Amino acid sequence: MSLAAENDKTFDELDSLLESLEKDEIGSPDKEGENSLKSDSGEQIKHMVNAIDPDAVDFTPFLQNHSGSAVNYHDESHMITKHHAKLHLQTQTAGILKDLPTPSSSQKKKKTTKRNKRGLLYPLQWLFYTFIDKLYSFVRRFRRMFTSKEEENDRMKYIAAAMLAFILYVMMRGENGPVSDLKLEKTINSIIPLDFNDAYKDINDRPLEVMDTPIYWHIPRSGGTTMKLVMSMCMGRVVACEQGAGHQLDEQLEIINKAFGNFANVDTSTPLGLNRAAELGLVPSRIVDVVLTPHIREAAKLFDENHKGRLFTMLRNPVDRVVSLYHFLRMPGQEASIGFNINAMSLEEFAADVSENWMVRTLTNTVTGSLDENHLKIAKEILRRKFLIGLLDEKTESLRRIQAYFGWKLPSRVSQTCKNNMFYFEPQSKNIHDVLERDSEVYETLRRHNQFDMDLYEYAVELFNEQKAMFSDKKQ
């Protein structure tokens, strides 16, 4: 028997059943009336029929072949058959099933929403995977235009090696500071004392904040006195330096007015004076614009979490500096300040015993004992990270950078003339002495006694050239 014939027979039986329901009775399809069922009121059977959900009716038995296996639901003819089966059932039961429950609006909305989401997701997935596939195909075709498969593999290896080299370069460069040919170990940062790192900001940590205080590392006989007067007299800055000596009994901070500028009543040129300045809260008080001191390690106690220092300095060739210091201390009135008879010492003895590698020792806080390469590396790292470098041999450019970095200006022509006189015509604390020849034996001896300082100075010259990039922008 064909599938259509089976369906017709089934529908005939269903029609008979419905007709019986309309008459409030039900009979067996068997002609002999065996196993017949009868109800006086038929209410129980009506209740059963009213509980039927036509959308929940399983039409699978109507769509089976002779062997009983399921028929392909995607076949158009079978879908039509199923549709007609439902339509036939609804037509036959129009009078009885008119009150049957239908899907609620929330259920319909839920189904529709799910269908709409799927309908939007699939095109997006298709577009994404199509784009990736096309891009991948384009890259491969582009490579094959120029290389064979073997050459392509080799080139990929070269590209990977180049990327690895670039990553290593970035790691060795560090987060801050200019790139230098002198690479430093990663452990150097941890060797620098934490209080030093916490007190002074890095040179590239910009822009400057209101609470940052410039602090000038005053290296003896390197233009420090001239810089002090330029900042106090010509720029009108309030300076903390040795001019505050003699006010140890003052109970609070004050500004001292002198003919050559305004100064704080604390002496920052000695460790004892720095302790007093820290106790009085010199930096948090904001009464000074700049601090000058040769003791930058001890000066770290002036700063706290909310007030940081910005280091800058002027450096000089160490041999020339030692020679100038030697002749300066031999001037009348200076012998009492050093506590020994310098006139009885030769230049070589002075360089070996008194002023040996002063810069490296100060930066590493190594007052006594021998120095090694590790001390030099630490000193270089401090300069690289923390200092705006100025050179006495490049004092015009150095002052320009200092002004640009801190936003200091010479407000008038009088200030410009003041600066020119201080820098070029009337340098302070100048002493006249013979110039030491570079190829002389004495010069070589002094260089050997100050080898670490010489290496540090040569490194500072490199930093000075590299920091030029910070001020190349005309806007700065």
Side-chain angles (χ1 to χ4, degrees):
M1 182 183 292
S2 64
L3 178 62
E6 290 180 357
N7 288 338
D8 292 338
K9 181 180 179 181
T10 304
F11 288 137
D12 291 338
E13 294 176 355
L14 183 60
D15 291 339
S16 301
L17 176 63
L18 293 174
E19 290 176 0
S20 300
L21 290 173
E22 291 177 353
K23 297 178 181 180
D24 293 339
E25 61 181 4
I26 182 169
S28 174
D30 187 7
K31 293 180 180 181
E32 297 180 358
E34 295 179 0
N35 299 325
S36 63
L37 297 175
K38 205 167 189 179
S39 175
D40 295 335
S41 63
E43 293 296 329
Q44 182 179 2
I45 298 177
K46 286 183 179 181
H47 175 73
M48 294 172 61
V49 174
N50 290 335
I52 297 176
D53 185 353
D55 288 339
V57 175
D58 185 9
F59 290 93
T60 303
F62 302 144
L63 299 177
Q64 292 180 346
N65 55 22
H66 296 287
S67 62
S69 59
V71 180
N72 184 4
Y73 274 49
H74 297 285
D75 191 330
E76 184 178 358
S77 62
H78 294 158
M79 294 303 292
I80 294 175
T81 304
K82 181 178 180 180
H83 168 73
H84 285 298
K86 293 182 68 176
L87 181 61
H88 183 73
L89 177 63
Q90 292 176 357
T91 303
Q92 296 296 326
T93 59
I96 299 175
L97 305 179
K98 59 181 180 180
D99 296 329
L100 287 178
T102 58
S104 63
S105 59
S106 60
Q107 291 175 337
K108 292 181 179 179
K109 185 177 180 181
K110 184 175 181 181
K111 294 180 180 179
T112 305
T113 304
K114 182 177 181 180
R115 183 164 55 250
N116 290 341
K117 288 183 178 180
R118 294 180 61 185
L120 178 63
L121 179 61
Y122 291 161
L124 291 178
Q125 289 179 338
W126 179 83
L127 287 175
F128 175 75
Y129 290 122
T130 302
F131 172 76
I132 296 298
D133 182 67
K134 296 295 183 183
L135 180 62
Y136 177 73
S137 301
F138 171 77
V139 173
R140 290 186 63 84
R141 286 197 301 270
F142 182 78
R143 289 177 179 173
R144 288 171 181 172
M145 290 174 60
F146 302 98
T147 60
S148 63
K149 187 173 182 179
E150 292 76 8
E151 293 174 342
E152 179 183 353
N153 293 335
D154 293 339
R155 181 162 296 183
M156 292 301 295
K157 293 179 181 178
Y158 295 147
I159 293 175
M163 292 178 64
L164 179 61
F166 176 75
I167 293 174
L168 293 176
Y169 164 78
V170 173
M171 293 175 60
M172 295 181 67
R173 181 183 187 277
E175 296 181 356
N176 297 306
V179 179
S180 174
D181 293 334
L182 300 177
K183 304 301 181 183
L184 304 175
E185 293 83 350
K186 293 182 180 180
T187 56
I188 292 300
N189 290 346
S190 61
I191 295 177
I192 298 177
L194 292 178
D195 59 343
F196 192 93
N197 276 332
D198 294 340
Y200 304 121
K201 285 189 175 181
D202 288 358
I203 182 66
N204 283 347
D205 189 359
R206 305 178 74 179
L208 275 69
E209 298 181 0
V210 177
M211 294 301 178
D212 294 345
T213 300
I215 178 167
Y216 182 86
W217 184 28
H218 188 175
I219 303 173
R221 311 309 302 165
S222 299
T225 302
T226 299
M227 281 296 302
K228 174 186 64 180
L229 295 178
V230 167
M231 289 185 289
S232 61
M233 290 184 62
C234 306
M235 295 182 181
R237 303 293 163 181
V238 179
V239 181
C241 58
E242 80 285 348
Q243 293 297 322
H247 294 267
Q248 294 85 349
L249 299 180
D250 292 354
E251 296 181 356
Q252 60 183 6
L253 292 170
E254 296 178 356
I255 297 178
I256 306 170
N257 299 317
K258 295 189 176 183
F260 45 88
N262 298 323
F263 304 91
N265 60 338
V266 291
D267 180 10
T268 57
S269 65
T270 65
L272 185 61
L274 288 170
N275 290 336
R276 178 173 176 272
E279 292 174 358
L280 294 177
L282 174 66
V283 171
S285 70
R286 306 295 299 159
I287 71 168
V288 296
D289 299 312
V290 59
V291 177
L292 270 75
T293 181
H295 307 285
I296 57 170
R297 294 295 296 269
E298 291 82 355
K301 65 185 68 175
L302 298 176
F303 304 94
D304 55 33
E305 183 178 357
N306 299 319
H307 304 85
K308 304 295 183 181
R310 296 278 187 171
L311 291 166
F312 67 112
T313 190
M314 296 277 282
L315 292 98
R316 185 180 185 181
N317 181 295
V319 174
D320 295 340
R321 188 187 71 80
V322 170
V323 174
S324 177
L325 181 61
Y326 173 75
H327 290 285
F328 175 77
L329 293 177
R330 290 167 64 90
M331 294 175 64
Q334 295 296 327
E335 183 175 346
S337 62
I338 58 177
F340 59 89
N341 185 11
I342 190 175
N343 293 316
M345 301 177 65
S346 66
L347 179 58
E348 294 87 340
E349 291 173 341
F350 174 79
D353 296 338
V354 178
S355 186
E356 176 254 343
N357 294 308
W358 185 89
M359 292 192 297
V360 173
R361 289 186 178 278
T362 301
L363 289 175
T364 60
N365 200 26
T366 309
V367 180
T368 59
S370 60
L371 299 176
D372 55 29
E373 289 295 328
N374 192 51
H375 292 90
L376 178 60
K377 290 179 180 179
I378 296 174
K380 287 179 178 179
E381 179 69 355
I382 292 175
L383 283 188
R384 184 186 73 85
R385 288 183 49 197
K386 302 295 184 180
F387 275 90
L388 176 63
I389 303 298
L391 300 177
L392 190 60
D393 292 341
E394 298 284 349
K395 56 186 177 182
T396 300
E397 173 64 14
S398 298
L399 182 60
R400 185 189 73 84
R401 295 184 186 182
I402 292 171
Q403 288 182 260
Y405 188 81
F406 293 109
W408 293 340
K409 295 181 179 180
L410 297 168
S412 65
R413 292 184 178 179
V414 175
S415 300
Q416 290 280 358
T417 302
C418 173
K419 183 264 295 182
N420 292 337
N421 289 337
M422 291 292 179
F423 251 41
Y424 306 112
F425 304 114
E426 302 174 5
Q428 300 299 305
S429 302
K430 184 176 182 180
N431 61 84
I432 307 300
H433 57 81
D434 296 334
V435 178
L436 203 60
E437 298 295 334
R438 294 287 194 252
D439 56 353
S440 65
E441 183 178 351
V442 176
Y443 185 92
E444 185 60 32
T445 301
L446 296 180
R447 178 184 177 88
R448 187 170 58 253
H449 284 312
N450 293 273
Q451 186 60 53
F452 290 114
D453 271 10
M454 287 297 299
D455 292 342
L456 183 64
Y457 176 76
E458 292 172 358
Y459 182 77
V461 173
E462 295 180 14
L463 292 178
F464 179 81
N465 295 329
E466 291 175 353
Q467 288 181 359
K468 181 181 180 180
M470 299 173 56
F471 307 94
S472 59
D473 189 353
K474 292 183 180 180
K475 294 182 180 180
Q476 292 182 347

